[in-house]
Amino acid sequence: MVRPPPRGGRAGPGEYKGLAIERAAYFCKCIREAFPKGRISPETYLPLVASRKGPDPDDHVHSAAVVAGGATVVLSADKTGYPPIDIAPARRRNPDTFVLELLRRYPRDLIGVVDAMGASMREPLTHGQVLDRLATAGVPRFAARARETG
């Protein structure tokens, strides 16, 4: 099992979007391992970047990749960064709403994922500790419901 690097305590240089470079690299590695066929080559999406209309140019590359990759859903709490015209036919879903729906449909599976997340940490976390972290990471309603469920 791959273990995450320790959390960096400083901001500024050495960070990418609020994550220490090592943690950002680890996060990307986990995504690549979980979705090995999910990589979209830059040659496919870069030509689409200039035609994106969203208010944040940093999101344009992601919107272009959504279209080039044929995604059906974009998980983002950002209500303005992914306008429908930029990601069609995909649609933006709020991550908290999305995982709540999954919990309603597959409660045992999702609770199992929460427990596996805790067990895979360098210093294992309890079910409640994982839910605490998920709540602060942007899925507080899911965390509360999962606490009631499992």
Side-chain angles (χ1 to χ4, degrees), residues 42-56:
E43 298 80 27
T44 307
Y45 67 81
L46 286 177
L48 304 174
V49 172
S51 64
R52 303 300 93 188
K53 309 285 187 219
D56 185 353

Side-chain angles (χ1 to χ4, degrees), residues 66-138:
V66 165
V67 173
T72 56
V73 174
V74 175
L75 292 178
S76 177
D78 181 353
K79 294 180 180 178
T80 61
Y82 300 96
I85 194 167
D86 279 6
I87 60 172
R91 65 188 182 114
R92 185 197 66 83
R93 298 281 313 272
N94 176 287
D96 203 16
T97 303
F98 184 77
V99 291
L100 265 172
E101 185 176 303
L102 290 177
L103 181 63
R104 182 183 57 76
R105 294 164 101 184
Y106 311 104
R108 276 190 242 128
D109 293 328
L110 265 287
I111 296 302
V113 168
V114 167
D115 292 338
M117 288 170 65
S120 73
M121 301 300 288
R122 178 175 296 146
E123 294 180 24
L125 301 175
T126 66
H127 180 81
Q129 289 171 318
V130 173
L131 294 175
D132 290 344
R133 289 189 179 188
L134 288 171
T136 61

Side-chain angles (χ1 to χ4, degrees), residues 1-5 22 25-31 33 116-117 119-122:
M1 170 102 10
V2 177
R3 302 282 185 200
E22 301 83 30
Y26 172 75
F27 181 69
C28 291
K29 182 179 185 300
C30 289
I31 290 172
E33 287 176 1
M117 288 170 65
S120 73
M121 301 300 288
R122 178 175 296 146

